């Protein structure tokens, strides 16, 4: 199958995990025998965020110009087009003019951009939900919509998207070599240092004397450094390959959450390394941790030190289980199987609208 992956790559200040997920998916599709073309748009930030040398070798990279990626897609004539990051306006208006099978992964649930921006405004106007979702060209046009977590699926259902058009497919992470008796390293946070992540609230509550490595950068870095106790080390952003190998042997991954955050790529990466997860607040990660038994969940209202005590008693026995959950649900192979079904359904379904009988 000839597949066009359309993505507006985030620049250095954006969530690099989303960029890595798209490149990983392109490589996995190639390994599965597909002809993959990465169409880069300017919607997400500077194009140098996705240089050709970082794309998987057999994947061609095409820059979308003019009205989004339409000209590039018409030249490629793919069997299916799969769009990832595309903010409202020019980033997704082109979808109404594309007549080929179209799949969209709904990545952005943050208030400031993407389809999430539409849905957060809908939350304040329940009586207008279906009408507003119907006006979004990507939500209306895509034959199938991929969400990465159950809370995200529920959010789009409330916005008027029919269940038959939604597919739950979380991002995957490649397997990494593990050390069976690795020493317990520090607690670890992976992600942006930004308001929507909850990292500043976490550091303000982090107990003195408990080791924590913070891997990432962002606009709150100064405030985070000022709020953190001396036992917190800031390591800056780490490349995905180094991160995945470096997670092995960590005590646990701490994922703070606020609002409607989606399931981050680092959740799958932690499971691949056999690292359990402590979810503090949020929606998608706590729900996954509870359902899959991959760690523990804490409330922002509870003392964080007590939650860490409980986790440190339980986590040493969870590594093998976390790796098993990764193999079953978050490895490349199950992702390929799921997305292949979605592509087949999109090809068979043809162009669709949001509201259909």
């Amino acid at each position: 199958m000839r597949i066009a992956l359309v993505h507006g790559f985030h620049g250095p200040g954006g969530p690099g995990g989303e960029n890595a997920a798209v490149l990983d998916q392109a490589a996995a599709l190639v390994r599965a025998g597909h002809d993959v073309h990465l169409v880069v748009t300017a919607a997400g930030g500077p194009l140098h965020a996705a240089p050709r040398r970082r794309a998987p070798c057999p994947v061609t990279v095409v820059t979308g110009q003019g009205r989004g990626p339409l000209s590039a897609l018409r030249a490629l004539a793919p069997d299916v087009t799969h769009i990832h990051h595309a903010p409202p306006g020019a980033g997704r208006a082109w979808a109404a003019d594309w007549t080929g099978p179209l799949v969209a992964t709904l990545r952005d649930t943050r208030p400031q951009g993407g389809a999430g921006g539409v849905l957060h405004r809908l939350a304040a106007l329940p009586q207008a939900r279906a009408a507003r979702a119907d006006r979004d060209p990507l939500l209306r046009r895509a034959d199938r919509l991929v969400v990465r977590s159950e809370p995200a699926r529920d959010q789009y259902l409330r916005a008027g998207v029919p269940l038959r058009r939604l597919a739950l497919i979380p991002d995957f992470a490649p397997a990494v070599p593990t050390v069976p008796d690795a020493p317990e390293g520090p607690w670890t946070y992976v992600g942006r240092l930004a308001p929507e992540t909850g990292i500043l609230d976490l550091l303000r509550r982090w107990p003195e004397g408990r080791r924590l490595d913070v891997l990432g950068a962002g606009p709150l870095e100064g405030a985070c450094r000022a709020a953190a106790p001396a036992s917190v080390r800031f390591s800056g952003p780490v490349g995905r390959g180094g991160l995945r190998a470096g997670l092995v042997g960590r005590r646990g991954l701490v994922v703070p959450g606020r609002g409607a955050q989606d399931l981050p790529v680092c959740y799958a990466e932690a499971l691949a390394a056999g690292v359990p997860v402590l979810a503090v607040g949020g929606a998608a990660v706590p729900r996954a941790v509870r359902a899959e038994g991959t760690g523990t969940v804490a409330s922002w209202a509870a003392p964080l030190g007590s939650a860490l005590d409980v986790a440190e008693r339980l986590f040493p026995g969870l590594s093998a289980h976390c790796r098993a959950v990764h193999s079953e649900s978050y490895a490349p192979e199950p992702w390929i199987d799921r997305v292949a079904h979605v592509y087949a359904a999109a090809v068979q379904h043809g162009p669709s609208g949001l509201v259909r009988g």
Side-chain angles (χ1 to χ4, degrees):
M1 182 177 287
R2 171 170 282 201
I3 301 166
L5 298 182
V6 180
H7 185 53
F9 276 77
H10 295 278
E18 293 183 7
N19 293 343
V22 175
L23 294 175
D24 285 343
Q25 291 175 17
L29 289 167
V30 168
R31 289 194 299 271
H34 298 288
D35 178 20
V36 180
H37 303 264
L38 181 60
V39 181
V40 178
T41 72
L47 292 182
H48 66 257
R52 290 176 183 268
R53 68 178 183 275
R54 287 189 55 198
C57 186
V59 177
T60 62
V61 180
V62 181
T63 299
Q65 297 176 343
R67 191 180 178 192
L70 279 177
S71 60
L73 291 176
R74 286 167 180 156
L76 288 170
D79 297 310
V80 66
T81 297
H82 188 165
I83 181 170
H84 290 268
H85 175 62
R92 55 209 302 166
W94 62 269
D97 295 327
W98 179 244
T99 58
L102 183 64
V103 173
T105 292
L106 303 174
R107 293 193 165 275
D108 201 340
T109 60
R110 291 168 294 168
Q112 67 268 30
V118 175
L119 296 181
H120 277 272
R121 290 192 295 274
L122 293 177
L125 297 167
Q127 72 278 11
R129 282 176 181 160
R132 291 291 185 91
D134 187 38
R135 294 175 191 171
D136 183 286
L138 185 59
L139 294 182
R140 180 176 178 84
R141 168 60 186 86
D143 301 299
R144 290 294 184 271
L145 297 164
V146 175
V147 292
R148 299 178 297 151
S149 67
E150 291 182 351
R153 180 186 60 192
D154 296 344
Q155 191 179 33
Y156 282 95
L157 287 172
R158 290 192 297 269
V161 178
L163 179 61
R164 67 182 179 275
R165 294 180 55 229
L166 290 169
L168 175 55
I169 308 179
D171 287 333
F172 69 82
V176 296
T178 57
V179 181
D181 298 317
E184 290 185 352
W187 288 96
T188 305
Y189 166 85
V190 177
R192 295 191 71 222
L193 309 185
E196 68 271 10
T197 65
I199 179 59
L200 186 55
D201 292 328
L202 178 75
L203 293 174
R204 285 170 174 163
R205 293 167 170 80
W206 192 259
E208 292 276 357
R210 308 295 270 267
R211 292 179 59 199
L212 174 69
D213 275 359
V214 175
L215 309 182
L220 291 185
E221 183 168 351
C224 287
R225 289 181 179 273
S231 57
V232 176
R233 181 178 65 179
F234 291 83
S235 301
V238 179
R240 306 313 293 187
L243 167 66
R244 288 161 179 164
L247 279 173
V248 176
R250 301 278 177 155
R251 187 178 299 268
L253 178 72
V254 185
V255 183
R258 290 295 191 189
Q261 287 169 293
D262 212 342
L263 201 62
V265 181
C266 64
Y267 177 75
E269 291 169 331
L271 301 188
V275 175
V277 176
L278 170 60
V280 185
V285 180
R287 193 160 171 176
V289 166
R290 290 190 180 103
E292 296 168 344
T294 52
T296 57
V297 175
S299 165
W300 285 113
L304 187 54
S306 299
L308 292 170
D309 289 339
V310 171
E312 287 174 354
R313 289 195 298 269
L314 295 176
F315 281 15
L318 286 180
S319 291
H321 175 71
C322 288
R323 289 192 291 270
V325 171
H326 169 264
S327 178
E328 181 178 349
S329 300
Y330 297 95
E333 293 78 12
W335 183 88
I336 285 289
D337 289 342
R338 293 164 182 160
V339 83
H341 286 296
V342 170
Y343 289 168
V347 170
Q348 294 170 4
H349 187 257
S352 67
L354 177 65
V355 180
R356 286 184 57 161

